[in-house]
Amino acid sequence: MLTLGIDCGSTTTKGALFDGEKIVKTVITATAARPKEKMQWVYDQLMNDDVKFVVSTGYGRDLLPQADKKITEITCHGKGAAFLSPGIDSVVDIGGQDCKAILLDRYNNIADFMMNDKCAAGTGRFIEMMSRILDCPIDDIDEFTEGKSPVEISSMCTVFAESEIISLLAEGIDRGDIALGVIRSICRRTSFFAQKIRSEQAVFFSGGLARFEVFRKTLEEFIGLPVRTHPQSQFAGAIGAAVIGYDMANRKK
Amino acid sequence: MELIKTLPAVFEEFSEQRKKSFITALELKEKGIPFVGGFCTYLPKEIPMAMGACMVGLCSKTGETIPDAEKHLPRNLCPLIKSSYGFALTDKCPFFYFSDLIVGETTCDGKKKMYEMLAEFKPVHVMELPNRQSEMGVQLYKEEIKKFKAVLEEKFGVTITEDDIRKAIHTNNEQREALKAFYGLQKMDPPPMGGLDMHKVLDGVQFRFDIPKATEDIKALTQKVLDEYDPKKYEGRKRILITGSPIGCSTEKIVNAIENNGGVVVCYENCGGARSVDELVDETNPDVYEALAKRYINIPCSCMSPNPGRPVLMERLLEEYKIDGVIEVVLQACHTFNVESYTIKKCVTEKNIPYMFIETDYSSTDAGQVNTRVGAFMEML
């Protein structure tokens, strides 16, 4: 038996197939402005006769008619993170348009969570803006900030930070120094969040930015606890959805 | 009285009341009945009622007039204050329009300063409400209540006797008892009604001017809800308590999100609910002013400092209503409730009951996020 989890986020839509033990296959695509279409595409890519249960999550979770169950991305993220990295007790997820911190209980259920869903500050959007202004492709962030000395970025608001970065560029400051400054400002803000939910063991870091070592390392420095990630951390929501789906399918039998 | 056949229709009537109030207000005014408009639950409504005036609630709960209000008021101010001021400015609210006197109290900073501006184009009387529930506070508020009575007597050319006040106290106590019995139905497990329906009744009753008649209707409705109790209807739903800033029309989005995600609101610990209705005025106290002052100053709103009554009330409600989870709804820029949320969260989570905090305003821009957060909270219970 397989189960399928589809996570339609604001930036990317992800799918994961689970066989009860491991993740068999994943796909990812840009959500762009077409969440419904993209969810359908992911579904078509991964759906097969062995799939017995489909769980949708993410902000587009209501858009997939074939879903057997819709679950919020918060619950799915928690489950997915605990699956990818056993032993963690909290999750920090920096998404495209929001940022969340989740505290897990010993059964990997949600014990508490916090969410910044009010503005783009400290989210992936902030980094997209920085990458554009600094002319640094997001994929090159690690190399771009290697050995740089960060400048202080004081603006939290994405719009104000943009003008702050432009002023810094006009002062002739190194682009890498600015980029590292921006990353530190986001990580500092995110760490307040993680400290508020009172994680004690280890933090799992997910979302699109988790694949960059500079974010993991900086976050660890601010939180003061081990910060772990996983090559598949971007799929945490979809994986969690598939894992929950597997339990549900078993219970249904 | 002809009883309405189904529940929703009855609830609807209470809500419809707000619309009908336009015409009712005009008719009452034509009969020469004065209107006194008030905002907070600290206003001792027994005083204007003792002179036969209609008490109307002016706290506005929709975003309609916020853009107008923002011509004078800062944008990052509580939406309730902006909205209320906006309705006064635009004459879009029948109650503001028909109010012969608007009464405010020195509650939160936003409201205090707004009243100063309101007084420039409306007849306003502001009562000094002490921010401390001390013996001196009671004395001060007692004097303020007497002064309020004198203001009314002078403005409307009437005499308000202590007997009139006593009668008004009795009438309002009866209504409080009826309301408590009504919302107390939700102590049943499973509860007999949805939180949105309950809210419509609690909100609607503020716009009923014939108090004894409204009380009778609430009693009849309570009986009706009991008679039609179907334990299956809300079986297995998570029992939620809402606390925090006042909620209304625009913030019903929170109640909707709760009830669409497998929960049911069984208790409101806020202005329209237990916070303002729970306590009665002492009818045995020979000093009516003192009885009123003691009762009103005891309301555990976050504008009091300290505010020990709120955790006490909260703990009692958590138990009586067998609460599974608490959602605190705080309006944007409502500093006192925002700050006090720390204490409330502590009080709730110490009982091992999950707590969630939502800051919102009167717009619908965060409806999606609210739904996700409430959904995740319900999944966690």
Side-chain angles (χ1 to χ4, degrees):
Chain A
M1 177 178 82
L2 292 175
T3 53
L4 170 59
I6 299 180
D7 175 10
C8 180
S10 66
T11 312
T12 54
T13 299
K14 292 129 299 202
L17 274 181
F18 181 58
D19 71 357
E21 278 178 22
K22 57 186 186 308
I23 298 304
V24 184
K25 196 178 174 192
T26 56
V27 293
I28 183 166
T29 178
T31 305
R34 289 177 286 280
K36 194 179 165 76
E37 244 171 73
K38 295 307 174 89
M39 284 194 95
Q40 199 56 51
W41 183 84
V42 169
Y43 178 83
D44 293 341
Q45 292 292 305
L46 294 176
M47 192 58 191
N48 63 53
D49 291 344
D50 291 334
V51 175
K52 298 298 174 221
F53 206 87
V54 180
V55 173
S56 61
T57 185
Y59 94 108
R61 64 185 177 280
D62 290 330
L63 301 174
L64 185 73
Q66 294 95 330
D68 296 296
K69 183 84 187 168
K70 300 157 195 159
I71 300 176
T72 63
E73 56 268 36
I74 298 165
T75 301
C76 289
H77 248 99
K79 275 279 187 228
F83 175 82
L84 290 172
S85 186
I88 51 122
D89 71 341
S90 61
V91 183
V92 165
D93 177 73
I94 302 184
Q97 65 173 14
D98 61 26
C99 166
K100 44 191 170 281
I102 305 166
L103 186 70
L104 301 175
D105 66 13
R106 60 200 152 113
Y107 308 108
N108 296 327
N109 291 319
I110 311 295
D112 197 5
F113 66 92
M114 294 198 61
M115 221 172 153
N116 158 32
D117 47 23
K118 288 262 185 265
C119 78
T123 71
R125 282 286 177 278
F126 203 90
I127 292 297
E128 281 179 4
M129 174 278 293
M130 174 197 88
S131 136
R132 183 169 47 82
I133 306 289
L134 294 178
D135 192 19
C136 148
I138 290 192
D139 287 335
D140 300 344
I141 272 183
D142 275 331
E143 299 78 48
F144 197 75
T145 52
E146 181 78 50
K148 296 292 179 183
S149 28
V151 289
E152 190 70 27
I153 304 285
S154 49
S155 304
M156 265 302 137
C157 168
T158 312
V159 178
F160 290 143
E162 182 168 343
S163 29
E164 192 174 350
I165 294 172
I166 290 171
S167 316
L168 290 167
L169 283 172
E171 287 169 30
I173 307 221
D174 180 83
R175 292 188 299 146
D177 291 351
I178 300 174
L180 193 57
V182 171
I183 291 167
R184 288 184 71 82
S185 117
I186 290 180
C187 289
R188 190 185 302 117
R189 189 187 158 98
T190 310
S191 71
F192 292 149
F193 230 51
Q195 282 151 1
K196 260 195 164 170
I197 59 158
R198 282 184 283 196
S199 160
E200 287 170 349
Q201 296 167 25
V203 181
F204 186 80
F205 175 31
S206 64
L209 300 176
R211 62 198 153 108
F212 304 113
E213 176 60 12
V214 61
F215 278 96
R216 193 202 62 78
K217 215 172 58 193
T218 315
L219 213 47
E220 195 162 62
E221 181 191 329
F222 284 119
I223 297 177
L225 284 173
V227 172
R228 296 192 206 146
T229 182
H230 188 280
Q232 285 183 310
S233 77
Q234 200 174 359
F235 293 92
I239 290 172
V243 170
I244 295 171
Y246 201 85
D247 290 344
M248 288 186 160
N250 269 333
R251 247 180 283 156
K252 220 172 67 173
K253 271 187 202 164
Chain B
M1 186 181 95
E2 197 197 335
L3 272 180
I4 292 97
K5 301 295 176 277
T6 56
L7 260 183
V10 186
F11 287 119
E12 213 42 54
E13 186 192 283
F14 266 87
S15 175
E16 277 293 302
Q17 191 64 40
R18 298 187 69 161
K19 293 171 201 162
K20 278 194 257 166
S21 295
F22 252 102
I23 299 145
T24 317
L26 180 66
E27 285 168 2
L28 288 166
K29 290 309 284 267
E30 280 168 353
K31 282 186 205 157
I33 297 172
F35 269 41
V36 174
F39 291 88
C40 288
T41 55
Y42 285 105
L43 194 156
K45 53 187 174 187
E46 285 84 351
I47 302 292
M49 283 177 184
M51 62 170 243
C54 282
M55 264 304 306
V56 293
L58 298 179
C59 281
S60 315
K61 287 152 188 162
T62 69
E64 190 189 336
T65 60
I66 287 181
D68 294 302
E70 284 175 353
K71 287 176 192 159
H72 299 175
L73 292 168
R75 290 199 60 200
N76 56 346
L77 184 68
C78 155
L80 189 152
I81 298 171
K82 283 192 288 190
S83 161
S84 302
Y85 183 80
F87 274 106
L89 208 57
T90 56
D91 279 339
K92 280 182 184 167
C93 162
F95 304 120
F96 259 114
Y97 182 77
F98 286 120
S99 282
D100 301 292
L101 182 67
I102 292 172
V103 187
E105 304 85 42
T106 52
T107 50
C108 64
D109 289 351
K111 273 191 170 164
K112 281 191 275 199
K113 301 312 281 184
M114 182 271 277
Y115 296 146
E116 292 172 19
M117 291 158 70
L118 192 63
E120 286 179 19
F121 59 95
K122 291 274 178 193
V124 174
H125 170 71
V126 178
M127 296 178 72
E128 186 175 347
L129 174 75
N131 288 158
R132 192 155 283 196
Q133 293 154 322
S134 59
E135 195 40 51
M136 276 170 76
V138 172
Q139 284 311 314
L140 173 66
Y141 206 46
K142 181 179 151 182
E143 292 310 312
E144 279 295 308
I145 294 173
K146 284 184 180 167
K147 197 165 112 193
F148 175 40
K149 181 195 88 124
V151 166
L152 290 178
E153 285 177 328
E154 203 208 312
K155 180 162 176 77
F156 296 98
V158 292
T159 308
I160 301 172
T161 69
E162 291 190 11
D163 260 358
D164 293 334
I165 298 174
R166 219 164 261 125
K167 273 183 207 135
I169 289 176
H170 182 68
T171 315
N172 281 287
N173 271 349
E174 281 191 324
Q175 180 160 90
R176 288 180 187 113
E177 294 274 31
L179 281 170
K180 279 166 73 170
F182 170 72
Y183 66 66
L185 288 172
Q186 293 293 78
K187 288 178 192 168
M188 291 162 77
D189 190 10
M193 59 187 151
L196 203 57
D197 288 338
M198 172 171 59
H199 184 260
K200 277 183 184 162
V201 175
L202 294 176
D203 198 48
V205 74
Q206 299 172 45
F207 302 93
R208 297 285 302 262
F209 303 127
D210 185 342
I211 306 292
K213 172 78 171 68
T215 305
E216 283 317 305
D217 286 356
I218 295 160
K219 285 182 181 167
L221 180 59
T222 307
Q223 191 53 49
K224 192 165 178 60
V225 173
L226 260 181
D227 291 345
E228 292 178 2
Y229 179 49
D230 173 9
K232 295 244 167 356
K233 203 168 173 195
Y234 293 100
E235 198 177 17
R237 298 261 198 145
K238 296 294 175 193
R239 303 169 63 87
I240 304 299
L241 178 145
I242 291 187
T243 184
S245 307
I247 66 163
C249 312
S250 298
T251 33
E252 278 176 5
K253 63 187 168 193
I254 314 258
V255 182
N256 278 321
I258 293 168
E259 305 206 328
N260 291 335
N261 281 291
V264 55
V265 179
V266 293
C267 186
Y268 292 97
E269 190 282 309
N270 50 23
C271 297
R275 188 183 300 148
S276 65
V277 183
D278 193 66
E279 206 174 312
L280 302 180
V281 180
D282 181 5
E283 290 183 46
T284 62
N285 190 334
D287 184 343
V288 286
Y289 301 106
E290 189 187 73
L292 287 169
K294 278 187 171 166
R295 188 271 175 194
Y296 278 96
I297 205 171
N298 222 13
I299 293 173
C301 167
S302 61
C303 69
M304 286 294 161
S305 173
N307 184 26
R310 193 162 163 229
V312 172
L313 176 63
M314 178 65 77
E315 283 183 21
R316 202 186 86 208
L317 297 174
L318 290 178
E319 220 159 275
E320 284 181 356
Y321 288 83
K322 301 191 236 13
I323 299 300
D324 294 314
V326 171
I327 297 186
E328 173 138 27
V329 183
V330 170
L331 291 174
Q332 167 210 315
C334 177
H335 303 318
T336 55
F337 277 108
N338 199 355
V339 175
E340 205 170 275
S341 68
Y342 176 83
T343 315
I344 294 303
K345 179 177 183 177
K346 216 169 95 199
C347 152
V348 172
T349 50
E350 270 171 6
K351 300 248 166 222
N352 287 318
I353 295 171
Y355 163 98
M356 182 172 67
F357 176 88
I358 296 178
E359 190 175 25
T360 190
D361 59 17
Y362 287 178
S363 72
S364 54
T365 54
D366 62 353
Q369 285 98 324
V370 163
N371 197 43
T372 295
R373 295 183 58 184
V374 170
F377 185 70
M378 304 308 294
E379 285 164 4
M380 154 181 151
L381 296 177

